[in-house]
Amino acid sequence: MTTTGEDHARALTGPWWWGRWRSAVLDGSLALVSAVECGAEGIPFARDAGVPVPVGIVFGLIAGSVLLVRRKWPVAVVLVAIAITPAQMGFLMGIVGLYTLAACELPRRIIGALAAMSLLGTLIVTFVRVRQDMARGDLTLGDWFVPFAAVTTSLGLTAPPVLLGLYVGARRRLMESLRERADSLERELQLLAERAEERAEWARNEERTRIAREMHDVVAHRVSLMVVHAAALQAVARKDPEKAVRNAALVGDMGRQALTELREMLGVLRAGEDVGRRAASVSLVAMGEAAEAAASRVAGVDGAAEGPCLSELDELIGQSAAAGMVVDLSVEGEVRSYAAEIEQTAYRVVQEALTNVHKHAAGAKTHVRLAHRVSEIAMQVENEPPPEPASASAARLPSGGNGLVGMRERVVALGGVFVSGPTDAGGFRVSAVIPAA
């Protein structure tokens, strides 16, 4: 609710039918003045009617006090004012009653009918009184003055309060309508802000997930190979110094490549943060796109600017073979090029599957199958059981538990199907099918 609406709601604390104490005091004051007026006018009315003066005064006091209920029953106030018009009472009550009647939300036909009755009553009474005064000699004007005085008096006592009441009522209804529209607009804006915040939070979570997936795919594979080569280096350091030297060189190369990839990715993200500080805000969407772009630039073995593609699978498998894994690659169908994101996703699936073999089934023979079909590309990485139960943890590679989740997210994002699970022979199989278009 707007501030105006809150103030309006807080102000409705008056007694009975009054919304505010100020309104109650105003009506009480008007009723008191009207009662005194009618009581004073009851003295000549009692003399003319031949009744005791106290009776006329009490009648005037009771009739004038009806103005107290003008907000609750404005029709009754106007009817009482019309009824006591022949006694020349209730001029203030008639004026205030007509104003209140016109300002309230009654049908216009009722307002018009009661205003016409009041006008007609005042016209007749004024005409008769002025004619009587002229007949007694109190007024020496011409006969034209009688209808003129009757018309002007009746219009003066009826038209201004009715017109003012109509204006005030229309203005009040307009303000209430504007207040309601402002409250409705504020509620809609609040709802839109909540939805925007929810969408922003969802986007932030999505970008955090994408950044984590890109960094995992870029760095985890090379670090895993480093650990495997380091374990092999430790095993052959004394037995075969030449092989140890080669393994140490591979470890160094892998480490330098991993550091280069990580440095470039973090450099892109840090640059995005610097720009965000200057702009007073950093978009995680932009950071995610920067991370993905950095991953595409640096993920290839030779740092190709277009990112990893299926033509680099031979080199990827060669790295795993150099680490001691026996990998068998088979390709079915006609080799062709695909969209960059499809080839990157297929490459990442094979890369992460080989990394998982290094982690969980070191030394196990692995079969990599790639099938080029008419409208899709399918890949499968299946490893046999490790030769020795202890070899699976010989390199003591940690597992973050995000590899399969990341592969599934990548494949599903392109409308593909991803399946993974153990085989009957005791190995593990990762399968993915990605639409070619």
Side-chain angles (χ1 to χ4, degrees):
M1 182 182 293
T2 60
T3 304
T4 305
E6 292 176 356
D7 295 341
H8 179 72
R10 256 197 314 271
L12 300 178
T13 57
W16 297 340
W17 58 83
W18 287 286
R20 292 173 292 185
W21 279 98
R22 184 177 64 182
S23 302
V25 173
L26 176 62
D27 289 356
S29 302
L30 290 175
L32 179 61
V33 174
S34 177
V36 173
E37 177 204 352
C38 292
E41 293 168 346
I43 297 175
F45 168 71
R47 292 172 182 172
D48 294 341
V51 296
V53 173
V55 175
I57 295 175
V58 172
F59 174 75
L61 292 174
I62 295 175
S65 62
V66 175
L67 193 59
L68 186 67
V69 297
R70 70 181 185 95
R71 298 179 189 267
K72 185 69 173 178
W73 297 295
V75 176
V77 174
V78 174
L79 289 176
V80 171
I82 294 173
I84 63 176
T85 299
Q88 289 188 322
M89 291 184 183
F91 293 103
L92 176 63
M93 183 170 61
I95 294 173
V96 176
L98 287 174
Y99 164 79
T100 307
L101 178 70
C104 66
E105 297 182 358
L106 288 174
R108 292 295 176 88
R109 62 179 182 275
I110 296 178
I111 298 175
L114 291 176
M117 291 172 60
S118 177
L119 176 66
L120 183 60
T122 305
L123 178 66
I124 295 174
V125 170
T126 304
F127 183 87
V128 172
R129 289 292 181 181
V130 173
R131 191 174 186 82
Q132 289 177 352
D133 291 341
M134 293 186 66
R136 286 195 303 264
D138 295 339
L139 295 174
T140 58
L141 300 174
D143 294 338
W144 61 268
F145 182 72
V146 176
F148 174 77
V151 172
T152 54
T153 301
S154 58
L155 287 176
L157 294 177
T158 305
V162 171
L163 295 177
L164 181 62
L166 291 174
Y167 167 75
V168 173
R171 184 174 180 274
R172 181 186 303 150
R173 287 187 289 272
L174 176 62
M175 295 301 296
E176 291 177 355
S177 174
L178 293 176
R179 186 184 298 112
E180 291 177 357
R181 291 175 62 181
D183 293 341
S184 176
L185 179 60
E186 185 169 351
R187 287 192 295 269
E188 291 179 2
L189 290 177
Q190 184 177 2
L191 181 60
L192 290 176
E194 292 176 356
R195 291 181 178 176
E197 185 177 356
E198 292 176 357
R199 288 195 296 268
E201 183 64 25
W202 175 82
R204 285 193 292 269
N205 293 333
E206 288 293 320
E207 292 308 315
R208 289 191 187 100
T209 302
R210 186 165 65 161
I211 292 172
R213 183 170 63 242
E214 295 297 336
M215 295 188 69
H216 175 272
D217 290 343
V218 168
V219 179
H221 179 70
R222 299 200 186 280
V223 174
S224 299
L225 291 180
M226 287 172 59
V227 175
V228 173
H229 283 296
L233 175 61
Q234 183 180 5
V236 303
R238 295 182 180 179
K239 299 179 181 179
D240 192 346
E242 294 182 359
K243 187 174 182 180
V245 171
R246 291 195 301 270
N247 287 339
L250 287 174
V251 171
D253 292 339
M254 292 293 177
R256 282 188 292 272
Q257 292 173 359
L259 286 175
T260 300
E261 294 168 359
L262 184 59
R263 186 182 300 112
E264 291 189 18
M265 177 174 292
L266 294 179
V268 174
L269 295 179
R270 189 179 301 277
E273 291 177 358
D274 293 338
V275 173
R277 292 192 190 97
R278 290 192 296 269
S281 64
V282 178
S283 173
L284 274 176
V285 176
M287 291 177 63
E289 292 176 353
E292 188 172 4
S296 299
R297 286 198 301 270
V298 303
V301 176
D302 56 354
E306 297 181 354
C309 57
L310 293 177
S311 61
E312 300 174 4
L313 281 181
D314 292 333
E315 192 166 357
L316 176 67
I317 293 173
Q319 292 177 359
S320 297
M325 180 188 296
V326 179
V327 186
D328 179 22
L329 173 63
S330 62
V331 180
E332 301 176 3
E334 182 181 356
V335 178
R336 64 183 187 275
S337 59
Y338 301 90
E341 57 184 1
I342 296 177
E343 295 209 7
Q344 291 175 16
T345 300
Y347 181 92
R348 294 298 188 198
V349 170
V350 177
Q351 181 189 52
E352 183 59 32
L354 293 177
T355 302
N356 288 340
V357 175
H358 285 294
K359 290 181 179 180
H360 306 292
K365 185 176 181 180
T366 305
H367 303 276
V368 179
R369 300 179 180 90
L370 188 66
H372 299 274
R373 298 170 183 169
V374 176
S375 59
E376 61 188 16
I377 178 173
M379 64 224 66
Q380 183 183 88
V381 180
E382 179 180 350
N383 65 275
E384 300 177 357
E388 297 180 5
S391 64
S393 59
R396 295 188 296 275
L397 286 168
S399 176
N402 297 318
L404 295 176
V405 176
M407 285 189 282
R408 180 183 300 276
E409 290 175 351
R410 284 181 176 275
V411 173
V412 173
L414 296 179
V417 178
F418 178 85
V419 178
S420 63
T423 62
D424 296 337
F428 198 86
R429 181 187 298 115
V430 172
S431 302
V433 178
I434 304 174

